Amino acid sequence: LIARMNSPTMSDPFTAIDAAAAAIADDSLRRILVVDDESTIRLALSRFLRTRGFEVEVADSGAAALEQIEHHKFALMLCDLRMPGMSGLETVPRALAVDGDLGVIMLTAVNDATSATEALSSGAFDYLLKPVELPDLQSAVERAMRRRSRAIERRATDRLIREEVALRTAELEQEKGALRALTVSVAETLINAMETKDVYLRGHSHRVAELGAHIGLELGLDHVHVDRVRLAGRLHDVGKIGIREAVLNKAGPLTEDEFNHVKDHVRFGVEILRPLQHLGESLDFVQDHHEHWDGSGYPRGLAGDNIALGGRILTAADAFDALTSQRAYRDPMAPTTTLDYLRTQAGRLLEPRVYEALRTVVTRGAVPGIPRV
């Protein structure tokens, strides 16, 4: 390379590669770092690259190169493979750790396939043998610049995609939140309409929702599932809007037909809520809130773990609030008496562990509106 640059017959040795130089002339960053322990190589490479419009800095060792990279931005680094102290193979990964956008071309006088593989594995874009022919060097620089540009563009595109996905995800979460708020609003309207038909039901859905949520927390459910139980508790009796007022407010015992009519409130509720598909599990909880642990409940006669856990929780919360509330046909039971009675229903009406969670929550007295023991 030195001989060719100093040859009297090479008054303009770069004419043949002007077109290739033009291909990268518009790169915004045209700073190259030449790293070689031989001063003549550093001089020759830097002279050539400067005539091609690059700003060139030099370093005589890997350590000196790293110091330069820490303080300056470079597009490319031409690095000798074998140097005293820190070798090129050791220098490259450390340089890339400082600047992940840095393009690297390795130079060596050793034609060694193993060394070439190691150089490329370390993060180098290309591998050239000394003495380097000028067209080969120019081509390698051009390829490295293009590859670096593509890598930067790819990373930028990936970043934009990630940001767009994150933004869209946030928007979707906001939309879900708005839809959930609308659902709650609709539910409140339906519940208010339903509870105006029966003075004894006023506040029942709210109390069941809060008691069910506290039972869920006592059972170790995460807040997502607790919120689903709470929502289902607010909605669980919405189907009673379809029950005749004469039956809802009847002071005496219900006939078999009247009781079957009352049981229809679960079906009515599910039919009302089913179009709100985003309710997900909450709808299952509403459907199962009158199922019994022993299979004697309704509407499907499910038993044990076939009943949704939220349904099992609401069965307990609904039973406790119903028994401790005034009804047209009876006076409220005391909380202690209610817990004693429900203990006899553990394993029948209620799942035993759900009953224990109910007893703990009520005894603790942490649920607003729920009478404590």
Side-chain angles (χ1 to χ4, degrees), residues 306-355:
N306 289 324
I307 307 169
L309 177 56
R312 290 176 250 158
I313 291 172
L314 292 183
T315 298
D318 186 39
F320 179 85
D321 189 73
L323 292 170
T324 56
S325 298
Q326 181 71 46
R327 288 292 184 265
Y329 49 88
R330 61 160 176 80
D331 292 329
M333 291 173 59
T336 302
T337 304
T338 301
L339 289 177
D340 289 342
Y341 169 72
L342 290 178
R343 182 185 297 113
T344 68
Q345 299 301 308
R348 298 169 61 190
L349 171 67
L350 307 180
E351 178 187 1
R353 70 178 181 123
V354 173
Y355 166 76

Side-chain angles (χ1 to χ4, degrees), residues 124-172:
F125 285 178
D126 213 337
Y127 181 95
L128 297 176
L129 291 174
K130 301 178 184 177
V132 180
E133 294 291 329
L134 296 181
D136 293 341
L137 178 59
Q138 180 65 46
S139 296
V141 168
E142 178 187 351
R143 287 194 303 271
M145 292 291 283
R146 284 201 302 265
R147 181 171 173 180
R148 175 179 179 273
S149 295
R150 286 196 300 268
I152 293 173
E153 290 172 2
R154 184 168 57 251
R155 282 194 291 272
T157 300
D158 290 344
R159 184 178 64 253
L160 288 174
I161 291 173
R162 288 194 299 272
E163 291 173 354
E164 181 65 23
V165 169
L167 177 62
R168 185 55 185 153
T169 299
E171 291 174 348
L172 288 173

Side-chain angles (χ1 to χ4, degrees), residues 184-262:
V184 173
S185 176
V186 170
E188 293 288 345
T189 301
L190 293 173
I191 290 164
N192 290 337
M194 178 268 296
E195 292 187 348
T196 59
K197 298 175 65 175
D198 186 349
V199 65
Y200 299 111
L201 286 179
R202 290 176 186 172
H204 171 69
S205 294
H206 176 75
R207 293 191 299 272
V208 170
E210 293 307 311
L211 180 54
H214 281 74
I215 293 172
L217 288 172
E218 182 66 25
L219 290 171
L221 299 185
D222 60 44
H223 287 285
V224 171
H225 285 85
V226 168
D227 283 345
R228 291 172 183 169
V229 171
R230 179 180 283 110
L231 180 58
R234 294 294 290 146
L235 300 172
H236 78 285
D237 269 350
V238 72
K240 284 185 177 178
I241 199 170
I243 303 302
R244 297 190 299 273
E245 291 183 44
V247 175
L248 279 178
N249 298 322
K250 185 176 181 179
L254 299 178
T255 67
E256 182 178 353
D257 286 343
E258 289 171 337
F259 183 58
N260 288 333
H261 178 54
V262 169

